[in-house]
């Protein structure tokens, strides 16, 4: 009775855990492209496939692994299990994913698409279809971002603009974040494929039919190396990811260069405004300086000069003439100190021919060694 009392809660808890096991919505494709839909608990699915519970955990964002002659792939929201006979897509209820599954994947697996591996075993077609879908999705994201970023940069880099449109900067910031996310996704995709390419045993394990189909095994033994075909397939998509990453980097460099141009344009306009402000300040100073004469004559003091009608025009002329001369002198001083200096003049002889560095060093060493020696000794040397 004591033993039964101890084991009863354990069995109850196991039954409870089995009842709450997650349920996968599965879309199954066979070699001919026929499609079936069903739902199955995780415990039933991994037992049917001969896997462990951890194999269907999909803890990595992107991974390609082999377990018990099964290929387990994940490309973010795309979860797949490949066997020598069929392809299982798990949790496929995604709008963009359903469109690809219903319209393209079935025909590609049946050999009606444009897959390069249509003559190879089924797992080659399944892997290529998934990799092609993911690389085309990344390429589509880049094709969407590229014209938007170029259009925004062309509007921001215009040198005639005295200020920067904040709405354009906001759009550029959002596109820059999207570009950074795209670069991260491409790098993860590259690293995932590179990890497989560095492991020869994993490449061998990806060739499922080589170990289950006697005909494929005989072909591999007669000279058709399926492991080499798998390696070439992965290298092809690795190069495509590398090209895609290079395009994204070029776009990133274009954004950085455009930002530098924008800052240069803004600094240039700011310098113009500062120069104009300085010129107006110097003009105000010049007028104020000679305006002291008018202030002196405007005082309530009597002199014999205010009786002469020509004094007003004389004093006014002196004020404007003196102010103009001082303003011109200040402008010339400003021009001399703000304009960049001219490059130093290079003689024409130095431009045409310059002696090699070796000859100059030899002459210098000879002078040092023969300092203080006779002319005959120098001639002999």
């Amino acid at each position: 009775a004591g033993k039964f009392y101890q084991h009863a809660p354990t069995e109850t808890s196991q039954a409870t855990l089995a009842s709450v096991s997650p349920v996968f919505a599965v879309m199954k494709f066979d070699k001919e492209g026929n499609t079936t839909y069903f739902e199955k608990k995780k415990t039933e699915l991994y037992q049917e496939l001969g896997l462990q519970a951890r194999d269907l955990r999909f803890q990595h964002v992107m991974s390609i692994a082999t377990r018990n002659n099964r290929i387990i792939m994940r490309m973010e929201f795309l979860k797949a299990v490949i066997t020598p006979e069929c392809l299982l897509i798990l949790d496929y209820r995604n709008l963009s994913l359903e469109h690809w599954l219903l319209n393209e994947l079935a025909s590609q697996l049946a050999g009606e698409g444009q897959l390069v591996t249509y003559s190879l075993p089924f797992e080659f077609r399944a892997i290529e279809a998934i990799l092609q879908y993911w690389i085309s999705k990344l390429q589509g994201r880049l094709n969407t971002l590229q014209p938007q970023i170029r259009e925004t940069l062309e509007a921001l880099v215009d040198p005639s603009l005295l200020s920067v449109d904040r709405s354009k900067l906001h759009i550029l910031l959002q596109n820059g974040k999207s570009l950074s996310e795209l670069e991260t996704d491409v790098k993860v995709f590259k690293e995932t494929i590179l990890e497989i390419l560095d492991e020869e045993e994993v490449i061998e394990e990806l060739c499922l039919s080589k170990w289950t189909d006697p005909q494929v095994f005989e072909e591999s033994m007669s000279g058709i190396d399926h492991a080499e075909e798998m390696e070439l397939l992965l290298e092809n998509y690795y190069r495509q990811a590398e090209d895609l990453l290079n395009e994204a980097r070029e776009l990133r460099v274009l954004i950085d260069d455009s930002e530098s141009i924008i800052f240069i344009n803004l600094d240039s306009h700011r310098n113009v405004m500062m120069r104009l402000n300085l010129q107006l300040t110097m003009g105000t100073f010049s007028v104020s300086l000679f305006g002291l004469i008018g202030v002196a004559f405007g005082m309530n003091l009597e002199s014999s000069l205010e009786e002469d009608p020509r004094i007003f025009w004389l004093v006014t002329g002196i004020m404007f003439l003196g102010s103009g001369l001082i303003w011109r002198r200040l402008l010339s001083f400003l021009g001399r100190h703000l304009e960049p200096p001219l490059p130093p003049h290079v003689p024409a002889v130095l431009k045409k021919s310059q002696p090699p560095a070796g000859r100059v060093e030899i002459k210098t060493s000879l002078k040092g060694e023969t300092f203080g020696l006779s002319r005959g000794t120098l001639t002999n040397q």
Side-chain angles (χ1 to χ4, degrees), residues 247-299:
E247 293 180 11
R249 287 172 178 169
E250 291 176 0
L251 199 58
R252 174 66 63 184
V253 172
L254 181 62
I255 293 176
D256 296 339
D257 295 342
S258 301
E259 288 179 353
S260 301
I261 295 175
I262 292 171
F263 291 145
I264 291 173
N265 289 336
L266 292 178
D267 290 340
S268 176
H269 293 304
R270 189 182 299 109
N271 293 337
V272 171
M273 299 302 296
M274 292 175 63
R275 189 184 184 107
L276 178 61
N277 186 21
L278 185 58
Q279 292 176 354
L280 293 176
T281 303
M282 290 188 299
T284 304
F285 171 74
S286 303
V287 174
S288 301
L289 182 63
F290 278 87
L292 294 175
I293 301 176
V295 173
F297 277 92
M299 297 174 66

Side-chain angles (χ1 to χ4, degrees), residues 117-159:
T117 57
Y118 67 93
S119 60
L120 292 173
F122 175 76
E123 64 270 13
F124 285 81
R125 300 198 299 271
I127 292 175
E128 184 180 7
I130 295 175
L131 294 180
Q132 187 182 43
Y133 166 75
W134 192 251
I135 202 72
S136 62
K137 190 174 183 63
L138 295 175
Q139 184 68 50
R141 289 169 58 184
L142 181 62
N143 293 338
T144 304
L145 285 174
Q146 194 167 11
Q148 295 178 359
I149 293 177
R150 291 184 180 274
E151 182 180 358
T152 306
L153 292 178
E154 288 178 1
L156 290 174
V157 177
D158 188 0

Side-chain angles (χ1 to χ4, degrees), residues 74-261:
R74 179 173 183 181
M75 300 291 165
E76 290 189 1
F77 54 84
L78 176 58
K79 306 173 185 178
V81 178
I82 303 173
T83 69
E85 295 80 17
C86 63
L87 166 64
L88 303 178
I89 304 296
L90 310 181
D91 293 336
Y92 62 90
R93 290 168 181 171
N94 184 289
L95 295 178
S96 60
L97 189 59
E98 286 185 356
H99 176 77
W100 169 68
L101 292 173
L102 297 175
N103 298 334
E104 299 180 16
L105 181 58
S107 59
Q108 289 177 345
L109 295 177
E112 300 174 1
Q114 299 178 354
L115 297 181
V116 182
T117 57
Y118 67 93
S119 60
L120 292 173
F122 175 76
E123 64 270 13
F124 285 81
R125 300 198 299 271
I127 292 175
E128 184 180 7
I130 295 175
L131 294 180
Q132 187 182 43
Y133 166 75
W134 192 251
I135 202 72
S136 62
K137 190 174 183 63
L138 295 175
Q139 184 68 50
R141 289 169 58 184
L142 181 62
N143 293 338
T144 304
L145 285 174
Q146 194 167 11
Q148 295 178 359
I149 293 177
R150 291 184 180 274
E151 182 180 358
T152 306
L153 292 178
E154 288 178 1
L156 290 174
V157 177
D158 188 0
S160 62
L161 297 177
L162 298 179
S163 62
V164 179
D165 190 357
R166 292 186 176 181
S167 61
K168 296 291 185 181
L169 287 178
H170 183 66
I171 295 174
L172 183 61
L173 178 61
Q174 292 180 343
N175 292 333
K177 291 181 179 178
S178 301
L179 184 61
S180 300
E181 294 175 357
L182 176 61
E183 289 178 348
T184 303
D185 293 340
V186 176
K187 288 179 181 178
V188 173
F189 181 76
K190 277 183 53 184
E191 292 174 357
T192 303
I193 297 180
L194 186 60
E195 289 178 358
I196 300 175
L197 292 175
D198 292 339
E199 299 292 338
E200 185 176 355
E201 296 180 356
V202 179
I203 297 177
E204 290 281 351
E205 293 176 356
L206 290 175
C207 304
L208 305 180
S209 300
K210 182 178 179 181
W211 313 107
T212 58
D213 192 344
Q215 182 179 357
V216 176
F217 184 77
E218 292 178 0
E219 291 178 358
S220 62
M221 296 300 293
S222 61
I224 303 177
D225 192 354
H226 289 81
E228 184 177 353
E229 295 290 340
M230 181 64 70
E231 184 176 358
L232 293 175
L233 173 63
L234 296 176
E235 285 183 353
N236 178 30
Y237 285 96
Y238 178 83
R239 288 196 300 268
Q240 292 186 32
E242 182 69 27
D243 296 338
L244 189 62
L245 186 59
N246 290 335
E247 293 180 11
R249 287 172 178 169
E250 291 176 0
L251 199 58
R252 174 66 63 184
V253 172
L254 181 62
I255 293 176
D256 296 339
D257 295 342
S258 301
E259 288 179 353
S260 301
I261 295 175

